[in-house]
Amino acid sequence: MIFTQILIFCDRTKNSMSYVEYEQFLKDCGTPRTDAENGEVALKKSDAIKSLILLSDTDIGVLGGDVYELESDGYFRPTYNNWYCDKNTDRKVTFSEESRKVAYEYLSNYREKIDA
């Protein structure tokens, strides 16, 4: 099973309803990667895509993410697959919009390894 850790960047406030829903979504659907409270959380591929939709009405951008495979003993093994979005962009859209698009396209096109 593939899990994704998404690194987010907030240009503005975290008080929007979508951000509150996003935080709750992480609590409900995420799998903690550390024992620290409010530490890193991994999401299944489908949930990572849903999380981007929750952020769509915010100014929150996605810096990038890492892909992990969850092993039977609970260890998150890095696949060394990842993506990022450079904040220095000259495009006509905002960084938050562009970064969520890059994340969505990466996740949508990512093909999980099938065990033989």
Side-chain angles (χ1 to χ4, degrees):
M1 181 174 301
I2 298 294
F3 282 82
T4 304
Q5 174 186 345
I6 298 177
L7 306 173
I8 67 166
F9 173 81
C10 185
D11 280 330
R12 290 201 194 160
T13 179
K14 293 182 178 181
N15 294 329
S16 72
M17 185 58 180
S18 293
Y19 187 81
V20 172
E21 291 171 337
Y22 174 79
E23 286 286 302
Q24 188 60 48
F25 185 80
L26 290 181
K27 289 178 185 173
D28 294 344
C29 299
T31 301
R33 289 200 53 243
T34 67
D35 291 335
E37 187 173 332
N38 298 321
E40 294 179 357
V41 175
L43 295 168
K44 294 178 188 175
K45 177 182 172 180
S46 60
D47 289 335
I49 291 171
K50 288 177 190 174
S51 74
L52 295 171
I53 294 167
L54 288 174
L55 294 175
S56 64
D57 291 332
T58 71
D59 289 335
I60 297 171
V62 177
L63 294 174
D66 299 306
V67 179
Y68 296 86
E69 286 186 15
L70 181 62
E71 300 199 351
S72 59
D73 63 357
Y75 175 72
F76 285 93
R77 185 177 57 78
T79 64
Y80 302 102
N81 296 313
N82 56 66
W83 79 94
Y84 70 93
C85 185
D86 189 353
K87 191 168 184 210
N88 297 324
T89 180
D90 293 330
R91 299 195 172 111
K92 294 181 181 179
V93 296
T94 66
F95 169 73
S96 55
E97 291 174 297
E98 178 66 16
S99 67
R100 288 192 305 268
K101 179 182 174 189
V102 168
Y104 181 84
E105 288 175 357
Y106 182 89
L107 290 168
S108 295
N109 293 318
Y110 187 83
R111 300 291 172 235
E112 297 180 36
K113 180 181 89 176
I114 299 174
D115 293 327

